[in-house]
C-alpha cells in the first residue's frame, strides 16, 4: 500500500459497537484488495469500543484513528473522515456489518473501468445479531432503473456496502449535516444526478439487523427524514409540489408495504396513478435531455415496471376487499401494462374456476374409480 496515496479510504464511525466491532474491523483488514487506509472515528463511545480500535491500530498501520471528544452523531463523524481521506475512492463500513473478502477488489474494478459510474453498491445478505442469515436484498438492475427507484426509497438497501468517488462527493459538500438519519439516501439522491450508480449482482456484504440498530431505535425520526427526501426528489423532478402524505404513499407503493398503516385504500389508486404519470414523464424527459442512447428501451420497460407494481397491489388486496377494489387498481395497471393485466386476470379466473369445481371433479373421479373397481370385481 502507498500510505501517501492509497486507492481507497475506508470510513467507519463507531458508537458503542463493541459487540460486533471486532468482526467488522477484521472483515476490512482481511480484504483481498489491500491498497487502502482505514479511518475509524470513535464518536465518544461509553463502552470499550475505543480500546478495541486501539488494539487493532497497534497491529495494522493502515488504521487511522479519530477520537471525538464529544458525541457528534454519524453524519458529522463521516464528514470528519471524508475531510482527512486521501483515497481516490471512499468505502463505507458500519461497525456492525461484515464485508466479504472480495468486496473491495470487485467494486474497485467497476470504478476503474467505468468513468461514468460514480458509486458502486452490491446485493446484501441480511443477518441477525448472532450472524445467522435470514434474508437477502437483491437489487441489481440497469443504472437507469436504479435512478428511478431512488426517487421513492433507498433502493440500495443500506449504507455500509458502497464505494464512491471522493472528489465529486467533496465538491457536493459531503453528507448533508441537517440529516441526522437517512443521510446515505440523501447523498445517493444527489449523486445520481451527476453520475451513474451501479449495483453488482453479487452479495458482498452481510448487513446486520439487531435491536440496537438505528433503524430499530429511531424508526419514526428516520422515516421523517426519509419521507422528506422523497418529497424533495419528486418536487425537483416534476417541478410541482407533492405533499408529505403523498410521498409516504409512493414509498410504500414502491417498496411493497401494502398493508402498512400509511398505505392508502384502493380509492386512492387513481390519484397515485396520476402522480406516477407526472413522475414518469419527468423522468423520461430527463432521459432525453441526458441523450441516453437506450431512451426507448427505458421508456418501454419502465411502463411495464409501473404496471407490474400496480398488479402487485391487486394481488395484495385481501379476500374481504370487494371486486370493485381489484377492478379499480387493475384499471390503473392497464394504462401502463395491458398485456400483464389480461394475463393476470386470466390466470386468476382459471384458478378460481379450478377451485370452484374441484369438489365436483373429485367426486366424479371417485365415482369413476368405484365403477371401475366394481366392474373388475364382476369380471
Amino acid at each position: 500500500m502507498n500510505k501517501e496515496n492509497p486507492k481507497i479510504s475506508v470510513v467507519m464511525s463507531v458508537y458503542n459497537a463493541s459487540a460486533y466491532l471486532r468482526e467488522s474491523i477484521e472483515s476490512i483488514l482481511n480484504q483481498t484488495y489491500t491498497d487502502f487506509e482505514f479511518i475509524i472515528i470513535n464518536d465518544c463511545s461509553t463502552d470499550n469500543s475505543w480500546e478495541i480500535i486501539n488494539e487493532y491500530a497497534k497491529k495494522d498501520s493502515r488504521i487511522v484513528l479519530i477520537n471525538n471528544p464529544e458525541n457528534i452523531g454519524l453524519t458529522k463523524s463521516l464528514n470528519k473522515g471524508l475531510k482527512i481521506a486521501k483515497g481516490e475512492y471512499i468505502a463505507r463500513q458500519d461497525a456492525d456489518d461484515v464485508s466479504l473478502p472480495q468486496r473491495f477488489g470487485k467494486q474497485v474494478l467497476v470504478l476503474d473501468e467505468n468513468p461514468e459510474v460514480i458509486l458502486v453498491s452490491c446485493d446484501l445478505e441480511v443477518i441477525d445479531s448472532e450472524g445467522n442469515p435470514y434474508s437477502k436484498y437483491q437489487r441489481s438492475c440497469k443504472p437507469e432503473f436504479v435512478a428511478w427507484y431512488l426517487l421513492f426509497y433507498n433502493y440500495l438497501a443500506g449504507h455500509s456496502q458502497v464505494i464512491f468517488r471522493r472528489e465529486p462527493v467533496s465538491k457536493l459538500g459531503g453528507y448533508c449535516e441537517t440529516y441526522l438519519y437517512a443521510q446515505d439516501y440523501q447523498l445517493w439522491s444527489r449523486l445520481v444526478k451527476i453520475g451513474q450508480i451501479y449495483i453488482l449482482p453479487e452479495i458482498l456484504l452481510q448487513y446486520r439487523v439487531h435491536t440496537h440498530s438505528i433503524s430499530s431505535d429511531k424508526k419514526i425520526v428516520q422515516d421523517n427524514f426519509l419521507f422528506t427526501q422523497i418529497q424533495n426528489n419528486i418536487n425537483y423532478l416534476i417541478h410541482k409540489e407533492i405533499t408529505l402524505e403523498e410521498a409516504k404513499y409512493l414509498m410504500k407503493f414502491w417498496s411493497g408495504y401494502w398493508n402498512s398503516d400509511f398505505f392508502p385504500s384502493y380509492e386512492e389508486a387513481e390519484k397515485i396513478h396520476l402522480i406516477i404519470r407526472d413522475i414518469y414523464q419527468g423522468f423520461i424527459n430527463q432521459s432525453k435531455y441526458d441523450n441516453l442512447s437506450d431512451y426507448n428501451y427505458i421508456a418501454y420497460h419502465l411502463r411495464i415496471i409501473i404496471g407490474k407494481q400496480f398488479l402487485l397491489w391487486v394481488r395484495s388486496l385481501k379476500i374481504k376487499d370487494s371486486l370493485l377494489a381489484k377492478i379499480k387498481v387493475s384499471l390503473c395497471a392497464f394504462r401502463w401494462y395491458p398485456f400483464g393485466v389480461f394475463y393476470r386476470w386470466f390466470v386468476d379466473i382459471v384458478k378460481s374456476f379450478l377451485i370452484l369445481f374441484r369438489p365436483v371433479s373429485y367426486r366424479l373421479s371417485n365415482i369413476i374409480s368405484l365403477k371401475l373397481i366394481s366392474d373388475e370385481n364382476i369380471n
Side-chain angles (χ1 to χ4, degrees):
M1 169 196 152
N2 184 343
K3 291 188 70 173
E4 294 300 319
N5 295 292
K7 188 74 169 181
I8 304 173
S9 292
V10 187
V11 180
M12 172 192 283
S13 178
V14 178
Y15 177 69
N16 291 349
S18 59
Y20 312 107
L21 188 55
R22 291 182 184 278
E23 186 178 10
S24 187
I25 290 175
E26 288 176 9
S27 77
I28 296 299
L29 299 180
N30 293 330
Q31 289 290 304
T32 57
Y33 187 95
T34 58
D35 186 11
F36 63 82
E37 63 175 348
F38 190 3
I39 301 169
I40 306 178
I41 305 106
N42 176 48
D43 193 21
C44 204
S45 297
T46 57
D47 64 1
N48 66 329
S49 292
W50 179 242
E51 287 76 12
I52 293 171
I53 296 167
N54 269 286
E55 177 187 327
Y56 281 97
K58 292 175 183 177
K59 299 176 183 177
D60 198 309
S61 61
R62 293 174 296 182
I63 295 177
V64 179
L65 298 184
I66 300 176
N67 191 24
N68 292 342
E70 60 181 1
N71 181 266
I72 61 175
L74 177 61
T75 312
K76 290 182 179 180
S77 291
L78 292 179
N79 279 340
K80 206 169 181 179
L82 287 177
K83 286 177 182 177
I84 69 165
K86 300 175 183 177
E88 179 182 357
Y89 304 145
I90 302 294
R92 276 285 292 113
Q93 174 78 13
D94 285 333
D96 50 1
D97 295 334
V98 179
S99 288
L100 301 189
Q102 302 290 332
R103 177 192 159 196
F104 287 178
K106 293 186 176 184
Q107 291 182 319
V108 165
L109 187 62
V110 173
L111 290 169
D112 283 348
E113 295 183 350
N114 300 277
E116 73 281 3
V117 174
I118 199 167
L119 179 149
V120 182
S121 185
C122 60
D123 290 338
L124 308 178
E125 181 175 63
V126 184
I127 59 175
D128 62 18
S129 59
E130 302 299 320
N132 301 309
Y134 66 89
S135 182
K136 294 178 182 178
Y137 289 138
Q138 294 176 302
R139 300 292 171 82
S140 57
C141 63
K142 284 177 69 68
E144 293 77 16
F145 298 135
V146 174
W148 170 264
Y149 289 121
L150 278 173
L151 289 169
F152 309 104
Y153 66 110
N154 187 359
Y155 183 72
L156 303 189
H159 193 178
S160 194
Q161 79 284 3
V162 305
I163 294 184
F164 52 80
R165 299 184 188 275
R166 177 173 61 87
E167 186 175 351
V169 171
S170 296
K171 287 181 179 178
L172 288 174
Y175 292 90
C176 180
E177 294 190 356
T178 60
Y179 274 67
L180 302 179
Y181 303 102
Q183 63 282 108
D184 53 344
Y185 177 49
Q186 200 275 343
L187 180 58
W188 313 159
S189 296
R190 286 187 288 153
L191 285 179
V192 78
K193 294 182 178 72
I194 60 175
Q196 288 189 356
I197 291 179
Y198 184 83
I199 304 176
L200 279 164
E202 184 175 353
I203 291 173
L204 297 174
L205 182 116
Q206 292 180 313
Y207 173 78
R208 195 185 304 270
V209 175
H210 52 89
T211 55
H212 299 294
S213 61
I214 289 176
S215 57
S216 296
D217 288 346
K218 307 291 184 180
K219 191 70 171 63
I220 295 175
V221 179
Q222 188 180 49
D223 281 350
N224 286 335
F225 282 104
L226 174 65
F227 297 140
T228 299
Q229 185 57 44
I230 294 165
Q231 187 181 33
N232 292 340
N233 289 345
I234 294 168
N235 290 346
Y236 176 86
L237 179 68
I238 66 177
H239 307 295
K240 70 168 71 168
E241 296 286 329
I242 69 165
T243 67
L244 201 60
E245 183 180 41
E246 288 167 343
K248 292 177 183 180
Y249 289 168
L250 288 167
M251 192 278 274
K252 300 297 180 180
F253 176 83
W254 282 103
S255 56
Y257 289 94
W258 310 107
N259 297 316
S260 76
D261 294 336
F262 289 126
F263 200 76
S265 73
Y266 71 91
E267 295 170 345
E268 300 287 331
E270 178 69 17
K271 184 178 180 180
I272 291 176
H273 157 72
L274 292 175
I275 297 172
I276 291 176
R277 185 188 64 182
D278 289 343
I279 298 169
Y280 169 83
Q281 195 57 57
F283 189 84
I284 295 304
N285 289 341
Q286 183 62 46
S287 298
K288 284 182 180 178
Y289 177 79
D290 292 340
N291 294 315
L292 295 178
S293 58
D294 51 357
Y295 155 75
N296 289 328
Y297 173 92
I298 295 168
Y300 172 75
H301 284 277
L302 194 52
R303 293 188 69 86
I304 294 176
I305 288 170
I306 296 169
K308 285 183 174 180
Q309 204 68 13
F310 274 106
L311 285 173
L312 286 174
W313 186 357
V314 174
R315 295 185 68 182
S316 75
L317 293 171
K318 298 176 182 178
I319 296 174
K320 68 178 182 179
D321 292 306
S322 66
L323 180 61
L324 178 62
K326 296 180 184 295
I327 291 173
K328 278 196 171 185
V329 181
S330 293
L331 285 174
C332 293
F334 182 82
R335 295 170 185 174
W336 298 101
Y337 186 32
F339 172 78
V341 176
F342 283 128
Y343 177 78
R344 184 71 261 161
W345 276 87
F346 173 77
V347 169
D348 288 346
I349 289 170
V350 170
K351 284 182 178 179
S352 298
F353 180 84
L354 292 175
I355 292 171
L356 180 64
F357 288 96
R358 185 178 297 165
V360 176
S361 60
Y362 179 75
R363 286 197 297 271
L364 285 173
S365 64
N366 282 344
I367 291 170
I368 293 170
S369 297
L370 289 171
K371 174 63 174 165
L372 290 174
I373 292 170
S374 176
D375 290 344
E376 286 177 2
N377 289 338
I378 291 171
N379 294 333

